Amino acid sequence: MAPRRPRSAGALPKTARSGSPGKPPLVEQSATQTAEAGELYAALDLGTNSCRMLIARPMGAQFQVVDSFSKAVQLGQGLETYGRLSRNSMARTVQALQICRRKIDTHGVKRMRLVATEACRRAKNARDFMRYVRRETGLPLEIIAAEEEAQLAVISCASLVSPKSEQVLVVDIGGGSTELVWIDLEDVPPGDRARAIMRLGQGFNQPDGPIPAARVVDWISVPLGVATLKDQFADVEDDAARFALMSWFFEEKLADFTPYASGSPQEGFQIIGTSGTVTTVAACHLGLKRYDRNRVDGLMMNSAQIDAVIRSFLTLGPAGRRADPRIGRDRHTLIMSGAAILQALMRVWPTDQLSVADRGLREGLLYAQMAGDGVLEEME
């Protein structure tokens, strides 16, 4: 299980000790504030590998994105070896956060939730890094626990839950950790299952009300994501051998989470995968020359289709993956560790179908803020 809070602080980059005073802190959202009609919301996810932000306005039961930002900052580079965030990684990340600050200012956003995840949960110098961010950008960045990260990933995928699904596994493959949440919907009427999933954003132990609650059978945060798993096997030279080792190593971490492991697919089971790995595999399966979220989000893939894409990645080899525009420059070094995680999950969960979700923590943060403010219509 991943650590749940940052450990003791350490040294900052020199620029943080003697740098500019930064911008004044933004006003943080509080329970006493109320949202105005059409007000914009921001959600930022600072992970082990990437810094990503969405700015959106509520629209019916969904929201409309008006601006976005994504950059690979590699905040967790060297974390596996040294247990600390490096000076260069922190400096890269602050530069990206300064861009986010400018976008927030430009759009006049007042309602926001800006969170950091696994790298900051694990780093010994995370507290100093948070102070550095506040000083240089004024952003109210906070470190969230693994359980809240899992809750937010779950509610972002609520609309993808099939009314026929009685057992759902939501998987969020991150840079530094992978969150898995197993949900039992057997007692929830089919038409109420999406709404029951949304209520899990308030906590995994939901009391029954007028509608039976979704029941979280189990959840786990595995401290292995695409970046940290890759680092574990960086010394293995053979590409295929490294992939196999990564997949089996990840599967070992699921030993206490797979009571339904079965040799054959079963009805009523659904797995929803959210991550850059999953969407990249889906886009490659579709043969997209340019990424199209409308075609990827909600796509159903079977195990044979997923395996075929992964085999094509292995056939390409490291040099071929680096040159393949479908994979992208930011992901070519991480795609095989992500594929290893995905393949392991498809082996142990009793379905051969995967629902692809181009959504995750940022979308969950937006849904949670908007639902809390009462500006979203109830999901059908």
Side-chain angles (χ1 to χ4, degrees):
M1 194 72 76
R4 300 303 171 89
R5 59 182 184 275
R7 287 174 260 174
S8 58
L12 286 173
K14 291 181 180 178
T15 54
R17 299 186 195 123
S18 58
S20 65
K23 294 194 176 183
L26 293 168
V27 177
E28 295 183 51
Q29 183 171 320
S30 71
T32 59
Q33 294 175 310
T34 57
E36 298 178 0
E39 188 168 358
L40 295 178
Y41 290 73
L44 184 144
D45 168 17
L46 176 58
T48 303
N49 189 60
S50 301
C51 175
R52 298 179 294 176
M53 183 179 72
L54 291 176
I55 296 175
R57 63 168 54 91
M59 182 172 288
Q62 304 292 327
F63 53 77
Q64 178 189 42
V65 175
V66 300
D67 203 351
S68 64
F69 174 80
S70 180
K71 186 172 181 62
V73 295
Q74 297 180 304
L75 178 61
Q77 190 173 53
L79 183 62
E80 284 292 295
T81 303
Y82 303 106
R84 304 170 62 84
L85 305 175
S86 73
R87 294 182 179 185
N88 289 340
S89 297
M90 289 191 285
R92 281 195 304 269
T93 301
V94 164
Q95 288 175 352
L97 291 172
Q98 286 169 337
I99 297 173
C100 294
R101 167 71 196 238
R102 289 196 291 272
K103 286 179 175 287
I104 288 170
D105 287 348
T106 298
H107 290 286
V109 179
K110 297 182 179 66
R111 314 290 281 174
M112 68 193 76
R113 187 101 191 272
L114 318 175
V115 306
T117 56
E118 183 68 8
C120 290
R121 286 196 291 262
R122 293 177 58 187
K124 295 175 183 177
N125 57 340
R127 290 178 185 172
D128 273 359
F129 173 63
M130 301 302 284
R131 286 193 289 267
Y132 174 34
V133 168
R134 189 74 174 215
R135 177 178 175 177
E136 297 296 317
T137 71
L139 293 176
L141 187 67
E142 60 178 304
I143 302 170
I144 60 171
E147 182 168 359
E148 184 176 8
E149 183 178 358
Q151 290 168 1
L152 291 164
V154 165
I155 65 173
S156 76
C157 296
S159 63
L160 296 182
V161 174
S162 168
K164 299 178 180 179
S165 296
E166 297 182 348
Q167 306 289 330
V168 176
L169 178 67
V170 176
V171 179
D172 183 11
I173 305 173
S177 66
T178 299
E179 278 65 50
L180 302 94
V181 185
W182 173 10
I183 305 162
D184 183 352
L185 295 167
E186 188 174 5
D187 295 331
V188 180
D192 294 320
R193 286 175 179 169
R195 289 192 291 272
I197 293 287
M198 285 293 291
R199 287 194 291 273
L200 291 176
Q202 302 167 16
F204 280 160
N205 296 311
Q206 288 291 303
D208 278 336
I211 301 171
R215 185 172 68 90
V216 174
V217 179
D218 198 5
W219 78 276
I220 187 173
S221 180
V222 181
L224 290 170
V226 294
T228 46
L229 182 59
K230 175 183 74 72
D231 290 347
Q232 288 273 353
F233 294 91
D235 58 340
V236 180
E237 294 184 4
D238 184 81
D239 194 45
R242 182 169 57 249
F243 172 77
L245 287 169
M246 288 190 296
S247 188
W248 287 109
F249 183 69
F250 186 86
E251 185 174 336
E252 287 179 354
K253 304 300 180 184
L254 305 178
D256 297 327
F257 189 76
T258 55
Y260 274 4
S262 170
S264 59
Q266 299 180 28
E267 294 291 330
F269 284 75
Q270 182 181 8
I271 178 170
I272 302 174
T274 169
S275 72
T277 294
V278 175
T279 56
T280 299
V281 168
C284 290
H285 165 67
L286 292 172
L288 299 182
K289 293 183 178 179
R290 177 173 298 199
Y291 186 80
D292 184 349
R293 183 184 187 275
N294 292 328
R295 294 187 62 186
V296 170
D297 188 51
L299 178 72
M300 294 292 294
M301 294 184 68
N302 61 40
S303 296
Q305 292 167 335
I306 293 168
D307 288 343
V309 173
I310 293 174
R311 283 196 303 272
S312 74
F313 291 162
L314 286 168
T315 300
L316 285 171
R321 294 192 293 270
R322 187 182 307 115
D324 194 324
R326 302 173 307 164
I327 298 172
R329 293 182 179 180
D330 290 344
R331 190 160 298 279
H332 73 87
T333 61
L334 302 171
I335 189 62
M336 295 316 299
S337 51
I341 293 172
L342 180 58
Q343 192 176 75
L345 293 169
M346 296 304 294
R347 279 199 301 266
V348 301
W349 191 250
T351 179
D352 63 357
Q353 298 287 324
L354 171 75
S355 301
V356 177
D358 184 351
R359 54 185 77 194
L361 184 54
R362 293 173 302 166
E363 288 81 2
L365 288 164
L366 289 172
Y367 279 127
Q369 290 180 87
M370 293 175 184
D373 286 346
V375 296
L376 283 183
E377 296 176 8
E378 192 161 296
M379 188 173 290
E380 294 295 333

